[in-house]
């Protein structure tokens, strides 16, 4: 089977990473969660005091970028977890504090260029499943398979809410939902690399699909492409 790049983009909490992880496992591909990279930079900005209310000290963050090292290691159950300067920060980057500033951080052009360059290097050998917001449009416009994932707002908010509760976070449903709506708005309206559905992407609305149904649907597409 020829190795390919699978680019998965879509709205927040549409289950991109769940699908991407399952695909990577079955195909023996590398999985990269680019949202985790933007979240790790956001955590660094928070810890460094660069985020003050609605304002961001962009100049300080940008001058600091080269000192930020983001890596992925295998954590429990052999799932990939993100590290910020060798410290495992997987749980911390998923909390509401990071979620509340990550769309603003990811709109900074220098942050995007810094991370996109690293992401492109990860695809040199193909055999890659990468998820995010600009993978099919900017990072790998030549990806052999592009998916665009979507689902109803309520279903996405419920999934994210359940995930945070299971982690022990104290959250209320309405603030989780408004954070998702706000992030989608920022992600689709920012100037550089906004979330778009490219013409060659296959749309996957998973509002009423189980993880297995989604996986079977995508694997069929992969088989068609790799058997040509
Ligand atoms: O996938 P996620 O929800 O963990 O992503 C967090 C934020 O990072 C999201 O609101 C938008 C941003 N992001 C981005 O701008 N580009 C990517 N390739 C991935 C994520």
């Amino acid at each position: 089977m020829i190795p390919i790049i699978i680019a998965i983009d879509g709205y927040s909490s549409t289950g991109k990473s769940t699908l991407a992880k399952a695909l990577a496992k079955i195909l023996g591909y590398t999985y990269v969660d680019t949202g985790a990279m933007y979240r790790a930079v956001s955590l660094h900005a928070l810890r460094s005091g660069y985020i003050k209310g609605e304002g961001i000290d962009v100049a300080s963050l940008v001058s600091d970028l080269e000192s930020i090292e983001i890596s992925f290691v295998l954590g429990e159950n052999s799932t990939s977890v993100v590290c910020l300067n060798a410290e495992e920060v997987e749980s911390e980057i998923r909390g509401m504090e990071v979620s509340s500033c990550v769309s603003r951080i990811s709109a900074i052009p220098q942050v995007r260029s810094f991370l996109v360059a690293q992401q492109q290097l990860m695809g040199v050998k193909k055999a890659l499943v990468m998820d995010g917001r600009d993978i099919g449009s900017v990072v790998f416009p030549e990806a052999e398979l592009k998916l665009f994932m979507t689902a109803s707002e309520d279903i996405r908010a419920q999934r994210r809410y359940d995930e945070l509760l299971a982690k022990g976070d104290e959250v209320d449903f309405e603030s989780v939902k408004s954070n998702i709506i706000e992030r989608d708005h920022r992600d689709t309206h920012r100037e550089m690399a906004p979330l778009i559905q490219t013409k060659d992407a296959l749309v996957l609305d998973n509002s009423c699909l189980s993880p297995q149904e989604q996986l079977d649907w995508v694997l069929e597409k992969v088989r068609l492409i790799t058997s040509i």
Side-chain angles (χ1 to χ4, degrees), residues 12 16 33-36 38-39 94 102-103 106 112 132-135 183 187 190:
S12 299
K16 296 186 292 296
D33 172 359
T34 62
Y38 287 94
R39 286 173 181 271
R94 306 286 166 196
V102 63
S103 284
S106 60
R112 301 205 70 81
R133 303 294 189 289
D134 61 344
I135 312 306
R183 277 200 292 139
D187 295 343
R190 69 174 169 235

Side-chain angles (χ1 to χ4, degrees), residues 30-106:
T30 299
Y31 162 59
V32 178
D33 172 359
T34 62
M37 299 173 80
Y38 287 94
R39 286 173 181 271
V41 172
S42 304
L43 179 61
H44 174 84
L46 275 167
R47 285 177 172 178
S48 308
Y50 299 151
I51 299 177
K52 299 174 180 94
E54 282 298 299
I56 298 174
D57 181 351
V58 176
S60 297
L61 175 60
V62 168
S63 69
D64 225 17
L65 282 177
E66 291 301 328
S67 73
I68 302 176
E69 194 196 302
I70 297 169
S71 53
F72 291 94
V73 295
L74 284 186
E76 272 174 46
N77 309 321
S78 299
T79 54
S80 136
V81 294
V82 70
C83 296
L84 171 61
N85 295 330
E87 175 194 350
E88 205 242 272
V89 291
E90 185 62 31
S91 173
E92 222 175 323
I93 61 159
R94 306 286 166 196
M96 285 302 276
E97 210 186 356
V98 168
S99 294
S100 304
C101 66
V102 63
S103 284
R104 286 182 286 144
I105 294 291
S106 60

